[in-house]
Amino acid sequence: MSAPPPDQYSVVAEGLRKTYGGKADGHALDGLDLAVPRGTVFGLLGPNGAGKTTAVRALSTLVRLDGGRATVGGYDVRRDPRAVRRRIGLTGQHAAVDQIITARQNLEMFGRLFHLGAAHARRRAAELLDRFGLTEAADKQPQGFSGGMRRRLDLASSMILAPEVLFLDEPTTGLDPRGRSEVWEAVRGLTQQGTTVVLTTHYLDEADKLSDRIAVIDRGRNVTEDTPAGLKRAIGGDRIEVVAAEARDLPVVTAAVARVALRGAEPESDTAELRVHAPVSAGVPALTEVVRGLQDEGVVVADIGLRRPTLDEVFLALTGRSGGEQRESAEHLEAAV
C-alpha cells in the first residue's frame, strides 16, 4: 500500500501487527491497512475480537505496535507519539467526566490539564458548552444528566485542544435512541468543523448513518472497505418484493417477478406470507414493469416495493455473523464486567 499524500489523509496505517500472549493465534492485528480521508467519519466494523479497539489504541499511542507503520496527523505513532497525542482526542466506551463537579468545571479542569491558562480554559469551556448544546446545563452536575448529555460532555472534553483526529470507541454503547441521536448530531457537527473521526461501533445503523467510508475487519485483517452504499451494492443490489393479497395469485406474481429478475436468479417465495422476491439489476424500471404486468393480469397485491440490502446483511455476508449477534455478545460481555 503506497503512502497517500499527507494533506489528503489524517490517518495512514500499513501492515499493523499486534500480538498478545506471544502465541501465533494471539494476533489482535495481523497486517491491517487503513487510509482515513481528512475531515470525514471513518467507521471500523468487525465481530468481537476483530481488532477494532486494538487498532484505536495503537493509533492513539496507548499500545505499542509489534509491526507495521502508522501516521496520525502526519506524525509517526512509534517515533513521535507526543506529537500524535497533541493532535488527537479519544473517547472510550465509558464517560470519563467527573460526576460531582459541574459541566463547566469539568471542561475547565481538562483545559488546565492540557496546560491552557485559566482564562483560556474558561473561554474554551464556554465555546464547547455552546457547540455541544450544554450551555443551559453548564453549572449542573453530570450525575443528573441524561446518558446523551453525559456523552456529549465527554465528547466536548476530548475536543479541548480542537484535535485534528478524534477516535470514538463505541461512543453510544448503553444509550437510549434519543441519547444516540444526540451523539450522532454532535459527531456530524465535528466533521463540519474539520475534525476527522475514526469510529468503532457495534450498531450497524450508526455506522450507516454517520460514516463516509467503512472498513470491515476480521481477525485483525482487512476484509473490505467502501462507502455504506458501495458495501450494500457489493452483495447483490436491489431486490423486488411483492406480497400477494390471495394465495391463488402467487403463480402470477412469481411469473411477473421472474421476468425482471437478474439473469440466472430464480424468485424466492414464502407461501405462508404470500411473499415473492428476487434480485434485480435496475430497480425502478423493474418495479414499474412488475406493477404494470400485475395490473394487466388484474392481480391486486397487499404490498410491493424495492428493497435495498441493509448493512447488517453486508456484515453477515462478509464475516459470517450478523450485527445483532455481535452486538448481543458485546452487551453480554459488558454486563459481565
Side-chain angles (χ1 to χ4, degrees), residues 161-224:
L161 295 185
E164 177 182 340
V165 181
L166 178 61
F167 294 99
L168 299 181
D169 190 16
E170 310 290 348
T172 62
T173 297
L175 295 186
D176 61 21
R178 180 176 179 179
R180 292 175 66 205
S181 179
E182 291 175 350
V183 173
W184 292 354
E185 184 177 351
V187 171
R188 292 188 186 102
L190 295 177
T191 57
Q192 290 171 3
Q193 297 292 323
T195 296
T196 302
V197 176
V198 178
L199 167 76
T200 77
T201 179
H202 282 296
Y203 297 107
L204 300 185
D205 61 330
E206 182 165 87
D208 197 359
K209 288 181 171 64
L210 287 179
S211 300
D212 297 290
R213 293 188 69 80
I214 293 172
V216 180
I217 66 176
D218 197 9
R219 297 177 177 86
R221 305 170 188 150
N222 299 77
V223 176
T224 190

Side-chain angles (χ1 to χ4, degrees), residues 246-267:
E246 302 288 345
R248 65 174 181 267
D249 292 327
L250 270 179
V252 177
V253 170
T254 301
V257 172
R259 284 193 291 272
V260 299
L262 283 174
R263 181 174 298 179
E266 293 291 332

Side-chain angles (χ1 to χ4, degrees), residues 235-251:
I235 67 164
D238 296 334
R239 300 182 72 87
I240 279 183
E241 285 192 348
V242 183
V243 179
E246 302 288 345
R248 65 174 181 267
D249 292 327
L250 270 179

Side-chain angles (χ1 to χ4, degrees), residues 19-271:
T19 303
Y20 292 108
K23 299 179 181 179
D25 60 354
H27 291 297
L29 298 176
D30 191 16
L32 182 69
D33 296 330
L34 295 173
V36 181
R38 189 178 301 277
T40 64
V41 178
F42 190 91
L44 285 179
L45 288 182
N48 291 321
K52 304 184 299 296
T53 295
T54 300
V56 167
R57 289 175 63 80
L59 293 170
S60 56
T61 76
L62 292 179
V63 299
R64 292 183 62 84
L65 289 165
D66 296 326
R69 175 179 177 273
T71 60
V72 177
Y75 291 87
D76 192 285
V77 299
R78 301 170 82 176
R79 294 200 301 263
D80 205 347
R82 289 186 178 181
V84 171
R85 291 171 196 149
R86 287 195 293 268
R87 286 160 177 80
I88 66 172
L90 172 63
T91 298
Q93 297 180 23
H94 304 287
V97 297
D98 192 296
Q99 301 292 318
I100 304 302
I101 61 177
T102 68
R104 188 189 308 278
Q105 289 170 335
N106 263 284
L107 295 181
E108 290 179 3
M109 176 186 70
F110 279 108
R112 299 307 299 272
L113 289 173
F114 282 111
H115 307 292
L116 300 183
H120 190 180
R122 284 195 297 270
R123 288 196 302 272
R124 185 60 178 156
E127 292 170 2
L128 291 168
L129 288 166
D130 179 64
R131 179 187 295 185
F132 286 89
L134 294 167
T135 301
E136 293 184 2
D139 299 311
K140 297 178 181 178
Q141 296 171 321
Q143 64 184 359
F145 288 3
S146 68
M149 290 175 67
R150 281 196 299 272
R151 211 61 173 124
R152 280 186 282 144
L153 180 59
D154 206 36
L155 285 171
S157 69
S158 66
M159 294 291 294
I160 288 292
L161 295 185
E164 177 182 340
V165 181
L166 178 61
F167 294 99
L168 299 181
D169 190 16
E170 310 290 348
T172 62
T173 297
L175 295 186
D176 61 21
R178 180 176 179 179
R180 292 175 66 205
S181 179
E182 291 175 350
V183 173
W184 292 354
E185 184 177 351
V187 171
R188 292 188 186 102
L190 295 177
T191 57
Q192 290 171 3
Q193 297 292 323
T195 296
T196 302
V197 176
V198 178
L199 167 76
T200 77
T201 179
H202 282 296
Y203 297 107
L204 300 185
D205 61 330
E206 182 165 87
D208 197 359
K209 288 181 171 64
L210 287 179
S211 300
D212 297 290
R213 293 188 69 80
I214 293 172
V216 180
I217 66 176
D218 197 9
R219 297 177 177 86
R221 305 170 188 150
N222 299 77
V223 176
T224 190
E225 180 190 323
D226 206 336
T227 63
L231 290 174
K232 294 172 188 176
R233 285 195 299 269
I235 67 164
D238 296 334
R239 300 182 72 87
I240 279 183
E241 285 192 348
V242 183
V243 179
E246 302 288 345
R248 65 174 181 267
D249 292 327
L250 270 179
V252 177
V253 170
T254 301
V257 172
R259 284 193 291 272
V260 299
L262 283 174
R263 181 174 298 179
E266 293 291 332
E268 298 180 29
S269 59
D270 184 329
T271 55

